[in-house]
Amino acid sequence: MALSDLQKLFVVSTATQMWQQDLLMNVYFQGSSVGTNLREMILGQQPVKPLTNPYDEAITGRLRSDSAAIRQAGKNVQEASSMVGIATGAVGTIKSTLEEMQSLAQQVKDGDLAYSADVATQYNALRDKITGIIESTQYNGISLLDDTRWGTDQIDTDGNVFIQSFAQGANGGFDVTFQKLDATGLAALDGAALEDNPAGSLQTELDTLSLHIGDMTTLEEVYSQREDGLNYQATALDSQADLLDQAVEARRQTPVLSLEEILIRLLMRDTGTLLDETS
């Protein structure tokens, strides 16, 4: 019985697919390095590494890099906040000490406490405590209040400490400025003035104390507000880094096919099978 044209076409197409499959399988599975790799993969003799998307890797790599830079900037800003916090505490302690000195002087003035050498000694001990605070207030070797120790690689002569921070202006950072305290001026406070000799020296001492206390109150508020601002900035930077990390995870795609699996599918499906998935 003679075959129709449609039947002839089917036979020819089938035969063509079969010899193509046979040819390709012989080439790829017998003598070539690709065939060796395929056989080892099929037999489980070598691990199969999934394919990666170069575009996704480039994007997530940039995101990871930015996240790391921003997170480091957050740490630097947090460190700046810690520096300012130390200065805030020191200034607060100085203010409290000045208030103790003021209380002693006022008690002498009001007649509630008689002047004596012991009172003067106590007064001067409080003054010396302030001088010690100014000299010893440091952060990792950086003197924060004593300008006689400024002018180094870490803090310049104006009290500026440079903080490296990602995307903070053209120079990639900003300055945290510390206010010098006049240890010499504070050292001029003297318990001998409480004797009020000459007359009026006690009131002058009280006026000087009030002036210093006012300065410390203002400076403490400035440092406290700056510390809060730096803490907020550090938290914001950490949040940005967290968002980038989330973006990396959302962007990352886990490949499910290896190169060998893709090749086998091409060989067996596109050129070698008689029926595809849609037939």
Side-chain angles (χ1 to χ4, degrees):
M1 172 176 143
L3 298 175
S4 65
D5 291 340
L6 181 59
Q7 290 172 327
K8 291 178 181 179
L9 178 61
F10 176 77
V11 170
V12 171
S13 297
T14 300
T16 301
Q17 285 184 316
M18 291 181 68
W19 72 257
Q20 285 178 342
Q21 177 181 342
D22 182 67
L23 174 62
L24 291 172
M25 294 295 284
N26 285 335
V27 169
Y28 284 106
F29 279 91
Q30 290 187 4
S32 69
S33 59
V34 175
T36 300
N37 291 336
L38 288 171
R39 287 195 302 274
E40 291 178 352
M41 184 274 294
I42 292 172
L43 296 175
Q45 296 175 349
Q46 69 176 12
V48 178
K49 183 178 181 180
L51 289 176
T52 57
N53 186 326
Y55 179 76
D56 282 346
E57 285 297 304
I59 293 296
T60 56
R62 177 59 184 271
L63 290 174
R64 289 194 300 271
S65 175
D66 288 349
S67 172
I70 292 175
R71 199 172 297 283
Q72 182 60 52
K75 292 180 180 179
N76 293 346
V77 173
Q78 188 60 59
E79 187 173 12
S81 175
S82 298
M83 295 174 65
V84 176
I86 290 174
T88 304
V91 170
T93 302
I94 291 173
K95 182 184 75 171
S96 297
T97 306
L98 287 168
E99 288 172 343
E100 289 185 57
M101 296 172 68
Q102 184 185 49
S103 177
L104 278 176
Q106 190 65 47
Q107 289 180 61
V108 172
K109 179 177 173 57
D110 294 341
D112 297 331
L113 180 66
Y115 172 80
S116 67
D118 289 340
V119 171
T121 299
Q122 183 180 357
Y123 185 90
N124 290 337
L126 291 171
R127 176 203 62 199
D128 295 342
K129 175 183 174 182
I130 293 175
T131 304
I133 292 172
I134 294 174
E135 293 175 350
S136 64
T137 300
Q138 298 182 2
Y139 181 87
N140 287 344
I142 303 174
S143 182
L144 303 180
L145 304 179
D146 185 3
D147 66 321
T148 64
R149 301 182 183 181
W150 291 355
T152 68
D153 293 338
Q154 296 174 306
I155 183 169
D156 65 20
T157 55
D158 294 323
N160 297 313
V161 177
F162 182 76
I163 304 299
Q164 190 72 39
S165 180
F166 180 78
Q168 291 284 340
N171 59 357
F174 59 95
D175 287 329
V176 173
T177 303
F178 293 92
Q179 178 69 42
K180 68 179 180 180
L181 295 187
D182 185 7
T184 302
L186 289 168
L189 296 169
D190 191 352
L194 275 59
E195 190 177 7
D196 202 24
N197 184 21
S201 63
L202 176 53
Q203 185 58 52
T204 300
E205 191 80 359
L206 282 168
D207 292 341
T208 303
L209 285 168
S210 295
L211 180 62
H212 286 314
I213 290 172
D215 290 342
M216 293 304 107
T217 300
T218 300
L219 187 57
E220 184 181 22
E221 291 176 355
V222 169
Y223 279 147
S224 181
Q225 292 175 3
R226 188 178 303 169
E227 181 184 4
D228 290 342
L230 290 169
N231 273 327
Y232 177 83
Q233 184 179 352
T235 301
L237 288 169
D238 285 341
S239 297
Q240 292 179 32
D242 289 340
L243 288 175
L244 288 178
D245 289 340
Q246 294 173 17
V248 169
E249 294 304 317
R251 181 77 194 184
R252 191 188 304 276
Q253 298 179 2
T254 303
V256 297
L257 295 178
S258 67
L259 178 61
E260 291 85 351
E261 288 172 324
I262 292 175
L263 180 57
I264 288 176
R265 289 194 179 194
L266 290 174
L267 292 175
M268 301 299 294
R269 174 179 173 181
D270 295 337
T271 62
T273 57
L274 298 179
L275 300 176
D276 59 25
E277 294 178 355
T278 59
S279 63

